[in-house]
Amino acid sequence: MTITITAFERSPDGGMGLARDTRVRWALEEAGLRYEVRPVSFSAMKQPAHLALHPFGQIPTYEEGGLALFETGAIVFHIASRHPGLLPDDADARARAITWLFAALNTVEPPILELATAKFAEGDKPWSKERMPLIADRIRHRLGQLSDRLGDAEWLDDAFSAGDLMMVSVLLRLRPSGILNEFPQLAAYVARGEARPAYQRAFADQLAFNTAPPSAADQG
């Protein structure tokens, strides 16, 4: 069955890998799975056809036969559960990898997203300048804890897993802020993730997708 994911018709980041479809692309590449990408415009994301796949009108979505999924954590977990390469065979190690996947989304990412919201959506508010340092400090606190746990290890729990895939993806969102560079071990950890051939393929594909000239059909 063909796997189809949705992605921004034109990503706000210009194809720099920060949109969440990159996480799904990466997981599919790690698993060696072929897939197709259906572009979705911002207006189409709010239409009934897309809302039937993603009730919150976002991307990505994942379709395979009669199965339709949304939320990158659920999609990556589904891919990792059904195909080798992203979760260990040992039951305890598998559970730890899943724990790290959830930790990336539930503990590490929220303040990082808050920083982006404060900068781009609330930057004109009178209280924004006071709030930004507070958010940055919360991020640094989390990164300090994560760095202490990682130590000198290559990955979070022995071999690379879906937990590392999600954690690296989350940390990449910090690169424009410069905060990641304050934690050399985490910066090196992210670089190792980016160096994986599967990530390189996923990044190249989404960059090409976002920089390709519009087709005649796109232009109407």
Side-chain angles (χ1 to χ4, degrees), residues 111-149:
I112 295 174
L113 294 179
E114 192 178 2
L115 184 68
T117 299
K119 181 177 180 180
F120 296 108
E122 303 170 350
D124 59 342
K125 306 299 181 183
W127 36 261
S128 179
K129 289 185 178 180
E130 295 181 3
R131 185 165 178 254
M132 292 278 284
L134 298 177
I135 300 172
D137 285 345
R138 287 200 291 274
I139 293 172
R140 291 186 178 98
H141 176 66
R142 286 295 183 223
L143 295 191
Q145 293 174 314
L146 180 62
S147 183
D148 288 344
R149 179 57 182 265

Side-chain angles (χ1 to χ4, degrees), residues 9-219:
E9 188 176 64
R10 281 292 182 267
S11 178
D13 74 344
M16 297 312 295
L18 300 184
R20 285 178 174 81
D21 65 282
T22 307
R23 305 174 185 187
V24 176
R25 292 171 185 264
W26 186 5
L28 290 166
E29 293 287 352
E30 290 283 355
L33 298 173
R34 296 174 63 86
Y35 62 98
E36 297 179 354
V37 182
R38 184 171 66 250
V40 183
S41 67
F42 284 102
S43 59
M45 288 166 60
K46 309 306 177 186
Q47 298 303 312
H50 187 73
L51 291 173
L53 297 173
H54 198 310
F56 305 111
Q58 299 175 326
I59 60 95
T61 59
Y62 174 103
E63 297 169 80
E64 184 180 11
L67 176 66
L69 299 174
F70 61 98
E71 295 294 336
T72 55
I75 296 170
V76 170
F77 179 69
H78 169 76
I79 295 167
S81 298
R82 296 283 186 93
H83 306 279
L86 284 169
L87 287 176
D89 293 330
D90 176 77
D92 289 350
R94 188 182 185 92
R96 290 192 297 269
I98 294 168
T99 297
W100 280 116
L101 189 155
F102 279 93
L105 294 171
N106 293 346
T107 302
V108 178
E109 188 169 39
I112 295 174
L113 294 179
E114 192 178 2
L115 184 68
T117 299
K119 181 177 180 180
F120 296 108
E122 303 170 350
D124 59 342
K125 306 299 181 183
W127 36 261
S128 179
K129 289 185 178 180
E130 295 181 3
R131 185 165 178 254
M132 292 278 284
L134 298 177
I135 300 172
D137 285 345
R138 287 200 291 274
I139 293 172
R140 291 186 178 98
H141 176 66
R142 286 295 183 223
L143 295 191
Q145 293 174 314
L146 180 62
S147 183
D148 288 344
R149 179 57 182 265
L150 178 67
D152 295 324
E154 186 175 17
W155 305 113
L156 290 169
D157 191 71
D158 193 19
F160 177 85
S161 75
D164 293 295
L165 183 153
M166 194 61 71
M167 189 67 76
V168 168
S169 298
V170 164
L171 294 176
L172 275 168
R173 299 182 69 91
L174 272 177
R175 180 164 288 161
S177 73
I179 295 177
L180 184 64
N181 294 332
E182 299 174 22
F183 299 85
Q185 289 171 308
L186 294 183
Y189 168 67
V190 169
R192 285 192 293 274
E194 290 181 290
R196 292 182 66 82
Y199 177 85
Q200 292 289 318
R201 292 192 298 271
F203 181 88
D205 286 348
Q206 62 83 36
L207 180 61
F209 184 84
N210 278 279
T211 54
S215 66
D218 293 334
Q219 292 176 337

